[in-house]
Amino acid sequence: MKKKDLLRGIPKVDEVIKQDALFFLLEEKGCVAVTEASRAVLDKLRQEIMALKDEDADSFDMSKLDICRIAEDVADRVKEDEKCNLFPIINATGTILHTNLGRAPLCKEAVENVVEVSRGYSSLEYNVEKGKRGSRHDLVGELIAELTGAEDAMVVNNNASATLIVLATLGKGKEIVVSRGELVEIGGAFRIPDIMVQSGAYLQEVGTSNKTKPSDYENAIITKEQEKELASKESYRGTKRFETGALMKVHKSNYDIVGFTEEASLEDLVKIGKKHNLPVIFDMGNGLMLDLEEYGVREPNIPKSLAAGIDIILFSGDKLLGGPQAGIIAGKKEYIEKMKKHPLARVIRVDKMCFAALEATLMKYRDEKIALRDIPVLNMISSSKEEMKSKAERLAEEIRTANSNLNIELVEVEDQIGGGSAPSVRLPSWAVAVEDSKMSAQGIEIMLRRADIPIVARIHEDRLLLCVRTIAESEFKDIANAFRTGNC
Ligand SMILES: *Cc1c(COP(=O)(O)O)cnc(C)c1O
C-alpha cells in the first residue's frame, strides 16, 4: 500500500458523523462538538500517515482506517473536549485555606442549597409574604445580626470590595487614620494604601512600623474647622489636610510584628472615636466567628470585636468563616444603610449562589458544636494530632493495598491555616510519606498531579508527603488509585 492510497482511505467527516456510534452523542452534544472532534481525529490520522517513511507504508495498521474505530475515537474526543478548566482537585498540602486551591471547601448543606436555589427561580429579590419586590440585602442581615451582635450587615463580592465601599462611603474626600504597622498587602494588587486611593479617601498614616500608640491616632484627627484653617495657611511641604472620616484598624493577616512592638487595641480606638464622634472601622479579614484558642488559634473573633464597640467590621466569607467567596460588612445600621445606597453597591453585589451557600453556612453557627463539626475549615482546624495520626494510618493502608512496591511511612508535620489568616498558627499533625525505588519525589509529585482527580502534594527533604488534614476520607480511594501499580 502506498502513502497516497492510505491517505485516500481516510473517511470524510460527513461519513464519520453518520456512524451509529455517534448517533446519541450528536443528539446530546450537538453537531458542532461532534464535527469538530471528527475533524481533529481525522487530522491527527492524516498527519500520522504523512509522517510515515515510504517503506513503512506497507506495514501500516489498516484497522486505524476503520470507520467504526474512528467513530469511537471521536466519541472519546468529544468527552475530552467537554472537560472544564475548573475542576475538583485533592489538597494534600495540609494548608487549610489554600488561595490557589479555592480557599474554603463548603459544608454539605451549603452545596445542596446552591443546587436547590440555582436550578430554578428563587426569592432573591422577592418578598413572598407581601407578594412584592424585596431586597437581596435582607436575606442574611438578620441572621448575621443574631450571630454577631451587629445591628445590620451587607454582603459584597469579597473583602477587597468591602474595604472599597466602606472607605468610599465613610471616607471620600476625608482622611482615614491607619497605623503604619498595618498597611497590609494581602496579595496581588490588594494593598491598603492603593484601595484607599481608589475609594477617594485620603490615607493618614500614624505611628511607626513597630509601634503605634493610641495618642498617635488622636493627634492625627482633624476637624472640619481645622481643615478650613489649615487650608488658609501655607501648609507643610504643600500637603493639604482634610477632615478625618474614620479611624481604621487592619488585621495583620499574613505577617506578625515581633520584638519591640506596641499597637492600639480596638477598645483604645473606640474610646477615641467616641470622644471625637468618629466611626471606627476594623478590616478583620479572616472572618473567625468562634473562640478557637483551645486549638492554638489566638485571633480576634467577630462577636468579640463588635462587643468592643467598633462601628463597622469587614471580613471574607471564604477564609475562617468557611463559606463562599464574599465580603461581609457588619455593624451600625446608620452606616450599613448608607453603603446599601452607594452606587458601588450594585457593582460589587453577589448572586443567588453566593447567598445560598452563605446562608446555609451561617445557619451552622447557631450552635458552636455544629459549626465545628460540619464546617470543613473549622473541622480541620479542630481535629487533634491523634485523629490525624489514625487518619494517616488509614490512608497509608489504602495506598499499601493498591501498590505493595512503595515505601510508606508516617511522619510528623505541622499544618498551616494559610490564606492570609492566622500566620503564626501551626497545627501539629501527621502525614503519609511515599517513596518509590524507581521514581524520585519530583516524579511522584508530577504523576499525582496527572491523576484523574489531580492531587497536589508537598515535597519535604526529598520526600513526597500527603498531609491528611486537608484530605477528605472520601478521597482516599482516588489517591490509592493514583498509586496503583502501572502508574508508578
Ligand atoms: C484577606 C483579606 C482581605 C482581602 O479579602 P478577599 O476576600 O480576599 O478580597 C482584606 N483585608 C484583610 C485584612 C484580609 O485578611
Side-chain angles (χ1 to χ4, degrees):
M1 188 72 79
K2 293 231 175 70
K3 261 168 78 167
K4 195 173 63 188
D5 300 316
L6 287 176
L7 287 170
R8 218 173 276 143
I10 297 175
K12 302 266 175 307
V13 172
D14 293 355
E15 293 162 6
V16 174
I17 62 173
K18 279 192 212 128
Q19 290 301 299
D20 286 349
L22 295 176
F23 184 79
F24 289 110
L25 214 51
L26 211 50
E27 188 78 9
E28 194 190 326
K29 310 287 183 194
C31 188
V32 176
V34 180
T35 311
E36 285 303 315
S38 305
R39 215 164 258 143
V41 167
L42 295 176
D43 271 350
K44 198 164 155 242
L45 190 57
R46 191 169 297 114
Q47 277 160 20
E48 189 183 336
I49 295 171
M50 302 276 272
L52 286 176
K53 294 198 188 88
D54 282 330
E55 61 267 31
D56 291 336
D58 269 338
S59 54
F60 185 75
D61 176 6
M62 293 301 286
S63 75
K64 285 186 179 172
L65 292 175
D66 175 38
I67 195 160
C68 292
R69 182 167 160 181
I70 290 172
E72 276 164 29
D73 288 347
V74 170
D76 289 342
R77 176 91 192 197
V78 170
K79 281 173 203 142
E80 232 170 80
D81 288 349
E82 281 246 306
K83 211 174 153 211
C84 287
N85 289 324
L86 180 60
F87 46 78
I89 67 156
I90 296 172
N91 177 6
T93 65
T95 299
I96 297 173
L97 293 169
H98 204 302
T99 297
N100 302 148
L101 307 185
R103 285 199 187 155
L106 297 177
C107 65
K108 183 168 142 278
E109 288 72 14
V111 174
E112 286 168 0
N113 205 30
V114 171
V115 173
E116 193 69 17
V117 163
S118 58
R119 74 168 147 225
Y121 299 103
S122 65
S123 61
L124 184 63
E125 287 192 350
Y126 186 75
N127 186 323
V128 176
E129 219 165 282
K130 294 189 179 142
K132 57 182 192 192
R133 203 199 146 114
S135 165
R136 69 180 72 204
H137 293 312
D138 296 337
L139 295 170
V140 292
E142 266 179 45
L143 182 53
I144 294 174
E146 174 200 316
L147 298 172
T148 66
E151 289 175 11
D152 198 3
M154 176 185 179
V155 183
V156 296
N157 185 54
N158 55 12
N159 196 23
S161 322
T163 314
L164 183 68
I165 196 168
V166 167
L167 293 175
T169 308
L170 300 181
K172 191 167 186 200
K174 295 183 183 178
E175 289 181 2
I176 304 284
V177 189
V178 186
S179 159
R180 291 198 168 89
E182 297 174 1
L183 296 174
V184 183
E185 168 172 325
I186 297 300
F190 185 85
R191 293 172 152 194
I192 290 292
D194 298 343
I195 289 287
M196 198 74 78
V197 171
Q198 293 302 319
S199 74
Y202 302 105
L203 170 63
Q204 181 59 40
E205 304 174 16
V206 293
T208 60
S209 305
N210 56 328
K211 280 206 174 205
T212 304
K213 300 174 174 58
S215 57
D216 292 325
Y217 289 88
E218 190 155 24
N219 293 339
I221 295 172
I222 299 263
T223 63
K224 188 88 200 150
E225 289 69 42
Q226 284 170 314
E227 177 185 320
K228 283 191 199 125
E229 200 183 316
L230 286 168
S232 63
K233 288 187 197 151
E234 188 66 34
S235 56
Y236 175 65
R237 280 202 204 153
T239 316
K240 197 169 175 333
R241 294 291 306 263
F242 299 89
E243 178 193 3
T244 305
L247 309 178
M248 175 155 144
K249 193 161 177 62
V250 184
H251 187 47
K252 296 188 287 294
S253 300
N254 45 16
Y255 66 106
D256 273 326
I257 298 180
V258 293
F260 187 56
T261 65
E262 185 176 343
E263 64 177 285
S265 65
L266 288 178
E267 285 80 2
D268 293 328
L269 295 197
V270 167
K271 226 181 273 167
I272 302 167
K274 285 229 164 73
K275 188 167 151 201
H276 296 269
N277 201 18
L278 289 171
V280 174
I281 304 163
F282 180 33
D283 176 9
M284 181 228 205
N286 68 34
L288 178 62
M289 194 78 103
L290 310 175
D291 185 342
L292 296 185
E293 272 222 50
E294 66 175 292
Y295 307 107
V297 183
R298 270 166 224 91
E299 289 282 316
N301 65 44
I302 302 160
K304 264 203 193 140
S305 305
L306 282 163
I310 57 170
D311 297 272
I312 293 289
I313 190 168
L314 35 144
F315 50 92
S316 300
D318 55 355
K319 291 182 178 172
L320 292 177
L321 192 75
Q325 180 192 303
I328 298 161
I329 308 165
K332 300 264 160 73
K333 208 176 187 72
E334 58 168 307
Y335 301 120
I336 304 280
E337 280 301 325
K338 273 192 196 150
M339 291 173 210
K340 287 179 182 171
K341 291 193 188 106
H342 195 283
L344 273 177
R346 173 64 180 250
V347 179
I348 56 179
R349 76 177 185 185
V350 299
D351 75 330
K352 55 181 181 258
M353 289 194 270
C354 178
F355 274 116
L358 184 62
E359 191 174 10
T361 305
L362 288 170
M363 294 275 192
K364 298 284 181 188
Y365 283 101
R366 290 195 145 145
D367 186 324
E368 189 172 324
K369 278 202 199 72
I370 305 269
L372 286 169
R373 184 193 66 193
D374 293 351
I375 297 177
V377 168
L378 298 182
N379 187 283
M380 287 183 227
I381 292 174
S382 59
S383 296
S384 68
K385 191 177 176 188
E386 292 69 47
E387 286 173 284
M388 292 302 99
K389 188 169 189 189
S390 63
K391 193 173 173 186
E393 273 160 4
R394 288 193 295 280
L395 176 60
E397 203 40 53
E398 292 241 17
I399 300 173
R400 270 187 209 112
T401 312
N403 187 335
S404 54
N405 300 325
L406 301 164
N407 180 19
I408 295 165
E409 228 174 62
L410 298 199
V411 293
E412 287 185 69
V413 290
E414 283 187 327
D415 296 328
Q416 291 183 36
I417 292 185
S421 310
S424 50
V425 176
R426 293 286 174 277
L427 304 165
S429 189
W430 288 86
V432 178
V434 184
E435 284 176 301
D436 181 37
S437 54
K438 299 184 291 295
M439 212 191 261
S440 67
Q442 281 74 19
I444 304 176
E445 192 268 340
I446 293 170
M447 175 206 79
L448 291 178
R449 268 193 288 120
R450 290 183 185 158
D452 288 341
I453 300 175
I455 302 157
V456 180
R458 261 178 65 191
I459 294 180
H460 183 66
E461 289 171 357
D462 258 346
R463 260 214 298 204
L464 184 113
L465 300 186
L466 298 162
C467 301
V468 291
R469 194 181 292 271
T470 48
I471 305 172
E473 301 258 351
S474 57
E475 293 168 334
F476 283 6
K477 279 264 167 313
D478 298 307
I479 296 179
N481 268 333
F483 280 108
R484 219 164 274 288
T485 345
N487 288 334
C488 252

